Amino acid sequence: MHCWYLLYHFSGEGYSAVVTSSNRTLHELLSLDSQLTPCRRLELLSQLELRPHSYQGFFLHRKKKMKFGKVEFCHFLQIIALFLCLSGMNQAELPKSRSKPYFQSGRPRTKRSWVWNQFFVLEEYMGTDPLYVGKLHSDVDKGDGSIKYILSGEGASSIFIIDENTGDIHATKRLDREEQAYYTLRAQALDRLTNKPVEPESEFVIKIQDINDNEPKFLDGPYTAGVPEMSPVGTSVVQVTATDADDPTYGNSARVVYSILQGQPYFSVEPKTGIIKTALPNMDREAKDQYLLVIQAKDMVGQNGGLSGTTSVTVTLTDVNDNPPRFPRRSYQYNVPESLPVASVVARIKAADADVGPNAEMEYKIVDGDGLGVFKISVDKDTQEGIITIQKELDFEAKTSYTLRIEAANKHVDSHFQSLGPFSDMTTVKIIVEDVDEPPVFTSRLYSMVVSEAAKVGTIIGTVAAHDPDVSNSPVRYSIDRNTDLERYFNIDANTGVITTAKSLDRETNAVHNITVLAMESQNPAQIGRGYVAITILDINDNAPEFAMEYETTVCENAQPGQVIQKISAVDKDDPPSGHQFYFSLTAEAANNHNFTLQDNKDNTASVLTRRNGFRRQEQSVFYLPIFIVDSGSPSLSSTNTLTIRVCDCDADGIAQTCNAEAYILPAGLSTGALIAILACVLTLLVLVLLIVTMRRRKKEPLIFDEERDIRENIVRYDDEGGGEEDTEAFDMAALRNLNIIRDTKTRRDVTPEIQFLSRPTFKSIPDNVIFREFIWERLKEADVDPCAPPYDSLQTYAFEGNGSVAESLSSLDSISSNSDQNYDYLSDWGPHFKRLADMYGTGPDSFYS
């Protein structure tokens, strides 16, 4: 009968096991570490189970953690013992071939003599000696040292070493389960002498037993979250999650419990899920809008000795519409001037709302009052203010004050908070209109007037009227803005506003005059009103008709009698109401000519016809036909226009080819070659003339000396002298005698200048009376358009001396006006050669200035 024994080894809280077979009787050996408590020993034993494996033995391994009581554990041991005995009996009955020891390769394997499954070793071992893991043993080993054990695989020799004599396995380094949870190794028993295996290589696993050496960590922290204000208790805010690197399948090292360290009593956290919830009702954002929570995660199910980690959670209360709008005041009053333009802002009012964002958006409207049509209110989307603006012009004389009832309401109302009151409010706004000094107002914005262009100067065209709208009703004076009437065609009476003509009018020059009339208060000339007048000039028949264009009329030499050679029309600058009607005829002296006749087409056109044939250019090449044109005006006007008719040579289609009469003067025998020769001679002469002119210009010596010349050896001679007193072209002496003539820069005609100099600006001779008249006219224009000028007739004083002496200082000529006692009368005795000097400096009765 074969029995089996089990060899257990416990190390710390881990354990290792080897299951071997032998021919000896059943033997049990339990060796527990002295550090284990009785409860821990029972717990470890309750996690053991046996199961058969290939009919060769049993593996001892760890099953899922279960909690057994002492009674259950005793029953469990009894079942194990019974199961072992039954298994041993089954093994004893195996054939002998299966019980033979293992031999070298080549021989049939009868039975595997040793098997193991896995070892367990604690992580983070801090001892100085190597940590004992377990023992490998083969039943072939008789203890005589003939068998040696070798180890290979993960961590062999570097982390795990084996005693080749005893099979003891030790760990030489500190192990960390979080870095590697298990190691897979291979073991083999070899004959020490032959170094050949006595057992086949077998694989086993060393698992790292976890200890609680990692604290929980919040990988997604810190957290931010939001929850609506006024939320009920238990409203979920956010879920936090902590991760523990320890083994979650063993013990409580990775079982985390959440708690709140900061943030009470406003919030709470569920211990198992980490869900943060509100703990107080009616939390008001307007009182406090942000909270900082500190959440702790602790392993070992929160027991003492567990490791913990923390994170922060920032919770922001989001806004809800729980505050109705309220005006700070029940009434407002604003003063505005009556001159404020339409669409101007009168006032800004705002209803206070503690909410923010869309919950604070407002709507304003005028619900009552006497200013519904005069004012309107809108919303400034940026500030949520109500903006009151003017819709119609204000008039202090018509109404001095307005009262408005204005309502402000939230645009978005939350039905959950209707009980907090109406989400609207009312206020009263009183607007006081202030009186201002307004400019005069015309009775019409635009006056339309007509006047005939034949109207005489001083003819009354029409009248404008304006009044002071203020209570004082100051008198008004009128004037014309001369910027709109530069030619001063019109005048206006300053007191009555009657507009009259100041010049003769011409409709053909300007058919409509648009002028601006100014109305100024007598007491305050700065207040100016403006009225606009459109004066239309009515037409009279003052322009005679004339040809519509310059006609180029030709008649062919082969023309037949009665042939139309030209169709003419007329134009008239006048614009009669019924349109133009023109009448065409030949003048009395041309009516009986034998060459041409005129036919009136009665449609403002006429046709010129031939009366005969046989026109020849050699006899007469041009005919002049006077045509008499009369319009239909009252009184009618007429004009005589001459039509020039040229005689031309025409082709068979009647198209003129040439109208040159001189072509027939040339001899008939002159050929084309002769004409070409004549043209060639003319061109040759032109080229020769150009060459001669060019050569003459190049013969002139330059003013700059050549570099090769030595200027010390040359004499430059100039034969330039004045023309004498008879030379009237060299200098204009009249410029010295006439102060009204401003000299133009002139060059001498008898000498061609080599270098042209820049001359002074030229001025024209202007009589003194014209200068003064233009000066007074310009000042009058400036006074008319000056808004600061008084509206009544006033005296304007200007200091203007006219032109100064254009001769300026000319040496001794100033002696005429000086107090010199020198007498130049003797110059007249020197003869006619000194007559001019005697005229200039003499003091006799025949002198220049007498």
Side-chain angles (χ1 to χ4, degrees):
M1 177 179 175
H2 295 272
C3 291
W4 297 78
Y5 69 90
L6 301 176
L7 174 61
Y8 303 95
H9 173 76
F10 293 88
S11 175
E13 288 192 356
Y15 59 86
S16 59
V18 179
V19 182
T20 61
S21 61
S22 176
N23 292 329
R24 291 171 293 182
T25 61
L26 178 62
H27 175 73
E28 293 184 359
L29 176 62
L30 297 176
S31 175
L32 300 177
D33 196 290
S34 60
Q35 297 180 359
L36 294 178
T37 62
C39 295
R40 182 59 176 156
R41 292 192 187 97
L42 292 175
E43 182 181 358
L44 291 176
L45 291 174
S46 65
Q47 299 175 10
L48 304 179
E49 67 175 1
L50 296 173
R51 59 185 179 184
H53 179 71
S54 302
Y55 300 101
Q56 298 174 6
F58 291 86
F59 282 108
L60 177 63
H61 67 91
R62 194 175 180 185
K63 70 176 184 177
K64 189 174 181 181
K65 184 174 180 182
M66 299 174 61
K67 291 185 179 181
F68 287 178
K70 294 182 179 181
V71 178
E72 288 83 3
F73 181 68
C74 292
H75 290 298
F76 178 73
L77 290 180
Q78 294 177 2
I79 294 173
I80 292 176
L82 179 61
F83 188 82
L84 288 175
C85 292
L86 293 175
S87 299
M89 294 175 62
N90 292 334
Q91 290 289 340
E93 295 174 1
L94 293 176
K96 290 293 184 177
S97 61
R98 299 289 298 273
S99 300
K100 292 181 180 180
Y102 175 75
F103 295 98
Q104 299 296 331
S105 60
R107 299 179 181 182
R109 179 174 179 267
T110 57
K111 187 187 73 169
R112 182 174 179 177
S113 300
W114 58 286
V115 173
W116 57 87
N117 180 23
Q118 59 187 4
F119 296 95
F120 294 86
V121 61
L122 283 176
E123 66 171 337
E124 305 295 345
Y125 174 70
M126 304 300 293
T128 57
D129 298 330
L131 177 63
Y132 181 72
V133 177
K135 185 181 182 65
L136 297 181
H137 184 73
S138 175
D139 56 0
V140 180
D141 187 2
K142 305 301 182 180
D144 54 0
S146 61
I147 300 299
K148 71 174 181 178
Y149 300 94
I150 61 173
L151 195 64
S152 63
E154 292 180 307
S157 301
S158 60
I159 299 176
F160 302 102
I161 58 175
I162 188 171
D163 189 328
E164 64 177 12
N165 296 318
T166 63
D168 293 333
I169 302 174
H170 291 80
T172 60
K173 294 183 179 180
R174 183 176 63 86
L175 302 176
D176 188 357
R177 189 201 67 83
E178 285 71 38
E179 294 181 0
Q180 187 167 345
Y182 63 91
Y183 296 84
T184 302
L185 296 98
R186 293 178 298 277
Q188 196 170 30
L190 302 178
D191 187 285
R192 186 177 297 275
L193 297 178
T194 62
N195 205 27
K196 292 183 178 181
V198 296
E199 291 282 355
E201 187 179 58
S202 295
E203 187 177 89
F204 67 98
V205 175
I206 298 178
K207 287 189 174 182
I208 309 303
Q209 187 71 31
D210 184 47
I211 65 172
N212 188 20
D213 59 340
N214 291 278
E215 72 279 2
K217 294 181 179 179
F218 293 91
L219 302 181
D220 298 328
Y223 296 84
T224 57
V227 63
E229 63 174 332
M230 312 300 289
S231 296
V233 175
T235 301
S236 178
V237 179
V238 68
Q239 183 177 13
V240 296
T241 303
T243 303
D244 196 319
D246 293 327
D247 189 359
T249 64
Y250 174 75
N252 296 323
S253 299
R255 294 182 61 184
V256 178
V257 173
Y258 300 94
S259 60
I260 184 168
L261 301 182
Q262 179 181 325
Q264 296 171 326
Y266 305 102
F267 298 93
S268 63
V269 62
E270 290 189 357
K272 294 182 179 181
T273 62
I275 297 176
I276 300 174
K277 297 181 178 181
T278 58
L280 284 181
N282 301 327
M283 286 190 292
D284 191 3
R285 185 198 65 83
E286 288 72 32
K288 185 177 181 181
D289 63 345
Q290 197 172 81
Y291 297 85
L292 180 62
L293 313 182
V294 177
I295 304 299
Q296 175 183 270
K298 190 174 184 180
D299 57 15
M300 297 299 294
V301 202
Q303 297 177 2
N304 293 334
L307 303 178
S308 63
T310 60
T311 188
S312 63
V313 181
T314 302
V315 180
T316 302
L317 297 184
T318 58
D319 186 55
V320 298
N321 194 4
D322 60 338
N323 294 279
R326 292 292 180 263
F327 282 105
R329 297 165 56 184
R330 306 317 301 170
S331 64
Y332 298 85
Q333 179 174 320
Y334 299 95
N335 295 344
V336 296
E338 63 174 335
S339 60
L340 203 62
V342 174
S344 298
V345 176
V346 175
R348 287 175 174 262
I349 60 175
K350 183 177 181 180
D353 192 334
D355 297 321
V356 294
N359 298 318
E361 292 182 359
M362 297 288 180
E363 288 180 335
Y364 295 90
K365 61 182 178 179
I366 301 174
V367 297
D368 194 10
D370 55 0
L372 288 174
V374 182
F375 302 94
K376 71 174 183 179
I377 189 168
S378 58
V379 181
D380 187 331
K381 294 183 179 180
D382 295 329
T383 63
Q384 298 303 316
E385 292 178 312
I387 305 174
I388 303 174
T389 54
I390 300 175
Q391 280 187 299
K392 294 182 179 179
E393 291 184 353
L394 302 178
D395 188 0
F396 173 81
E397 289 73 24
K399 191 173 181 61
T400 60
S401 66
Y402 297 89
T403 301
L404 308 175
R405 288 283 293 168
I406 297 177
E407 179 187 57
N410 280 137
K411 291 181 64 175
H412 311 287
V413 179
D414 194 338
S415 58
H416 296 89
F417 303 100
Q418 289 282 5
S419 60
L420 298 179
F423 283 79
S424 63
D425 197 16
M426 301 281 293
T427 190
T428 302
V429 177
K430 187 174 183 179
I431 299 174
I432 306 299
V433 181
E434 297 177 343
D435 187 25
V436 296
D437 189 6
E438 300 177 89
V441 178
F442 283 87
T443 56
S444 176
R445 294 283 297 174
L446 176 64
Y447 295 88
S448 297
M449 301 178 184
V450 294
V451 63
S452 173
E453 64 176 328
K456 297 181 179 180
V457 175
T459 301
I460 297 176
I461 303 174
T463 304
V464 297
H467 68 281
D468 184 8
D470 299 321
V471 178
S472 60
N473 194 17
S474 300
V476 176
R477 294 183 62 85
Y478 304 94
S479 63
I480 295 177
D481 184 356
R482 292 304 175 184
N483 290 325
T484 61
D485 184 25
L486 296 176
E487 300 298 328
R488 295 178 173 268
Y489 285 108
F490 307 99
N491 287 329
I492 188 170
D493 190 283
N495 298 314
T496 63
V498 175
I499 299 176
T500 58
T501 59
K503 283 184 177 181
S504 298
L505 304 175
D506 185 10
R507 188 202 65 85
E508 288 71 36
T509 303
N510 193 354
V512 178
H513 294 265
N514 295 302
I515 63 174
T516 301
V517 177
L518 306 178
M520 295 174 286
E521 293 184 11
S522 298
Q523 298 179 0
N524 185 7
Q527 294 297 331
I528 302 175
R530 285 174 169 78
Y532 303 96
V533 181
I535 301 175
T536 303
I537 310 301
L538 298 179
D539 185 45
I540 62 172
N541 191 24
D542 58 344
N543 291 278
E546 58 186 12
F547 278 157
M549 58 181 293
E550 292 291 336
Y551 293 101
E552 295 181 0
T553 306
T554 61
V555 60
C556 295
E557 290 181 320
N558 57 357
Q560 300 299 319
Q563 180 176 341
V564 177
I565 61 173
Q566 184 67 60
K567 188 174 183 180
I568 61 176
S569 61
V571 293
D572 194 333
K573 295 180 181 179
D574 296 322
D575 187 17
S578 58
H580 291 287
Q581 181 63 46
F582 302 115
Y583 304 97
F584 300 88
S585 63
L586 295 177
T587 60
E589 60 271 16
N592 298 321
N593 76 89
H594 302 288
N595 300 312
F596 305 98
T597 185
L598 184 69
Q599 177 182 335
D600 193 341
N601 298 327
K602 307 300 181 182
D603 58 354
N604 291 338
T605 64
S607 300
V608 179
L609 296 86
T610 59
R611 278 188 171 182
R612 65 178 179 87
N613 58 4
F615 293 96
R616 294 183 60 82
R617 286 178 291 169
Q618 294 85 345
E619 296 177 358
Q620 186 174 352
S621 62
V622 178
F623 295 89
Y624 298 98
L625 186 65
I627 299 176
F628 186 69
I629 307 174
V630 183
D631 62 16
S632 59
S634 179
S636 62
L637 297 179
S638 62
S639 66
T640 299
N641 299 265
T642 301
L643 182 68
T644 302
I645 303 173
R646 297 184 180 275
V647 181
C648 299
D649 180 26
C650 301
D651 58 10
D653 297 329
I655 300 175
Q657 297 297 316
T658 178
C659 300
N660 187 7
E662 288 74 16
Y664 283 90
I665 300 176
L666 295 175
L670 193 61
S671 63
T672 304
L675 292 175
I676 295 175
I678 292 173
L679 292 176
C681 293
V682 171
L683 292 176
T684 303
L685 290 175
L686 291 176
V687 171
L688 290 175
V689 170
L690 292 176
L691 290 175
I692 291 171
V693 172
T694 304
M695 295 299 295
R696 287 176 63 86
R697 289 185 177 180
R698 289 185 178 179
K699 286 181 179 180
K700 293 185 178 182
E701 293 291 337
L703 295 180
I704 302 175
F705 296 103
D706 295 338
E707 295 180 357
E708 297 179 358
R709 293 185 181 182
D710 188 357
I711 60 174
R712 295 174 298 176
E713 300 176 0
N714 291 277
I715 299 176
V716 180
R717 180 177 179 182
Y718 298 95
D719 295 328
D720 188 9
E721 61 183 6
E725 61 182 8
E726 301 299 330
D727 183 8
T728 59
E729 300 296 331
F731 187 79
D732 188 4
M733 187 62 67
L736 296 178
R737 296 196 294 266
N738 190 352
L739 298 179
N740 292 328
I741 298 177
I742 301 177
R743 292 175 298 169
D744 293 340
T745 302
K746 297 182 179 180
T747 58
R748 291 187 54 174
R749 302 177 187 177
D750 57 340
V751 179
T752 302
E754 293 294 331
I755 301 175
Q756 297 292 336
F757 295 95
L758 294 177
S759 61
R760 295 182 180 179
T762 60
F763 300 91
K764 295 182 178 180
S765 175
I766 302 176
D768 282 344
N769 58 343
V770 177
I771 296 175
F772 284 104
R773 184 166 59 251
E774 290 185 354
F775 176 82
I776 296 173
W777 185 259
E778 290 176 358
R779 294 302 179 271
L780 183 59
K781 285 185 179 180
E782 293 176 0
D784 287 340
V785 300
D786 186 5
C788 298
Y792 45 83
D793 294 336
S794 60
L795 178 63
Q796 302 286 340
T797 303
Y798 300 97
F800 182 67
E801 297 178 358
N803 290 334
S805 174
V806 297
E808 299 178 353
S809 176
L810 294 176
S811 183
S812 61
L813 295 180
D814 288 341
S815 62
I816 296 176
S817 59
S818 66
N819 296 325
S820 175
D821 295 331
Q822 187 174 0
N823 188 3
Y824 293 95
D825 292 339
Y826 62 90
L827 293 175
S828 59
D829 299 332
W830 287 10
H833 294 288
F834 298 92
K835 185 177 182 301
R836 288 196 177 183
L837 289 177
D839 292 340
M840 295 176 59
Y841 294 92
T843 58
D846 297 332
S847 66
F848 182 80
Y849 293 103
S850 59

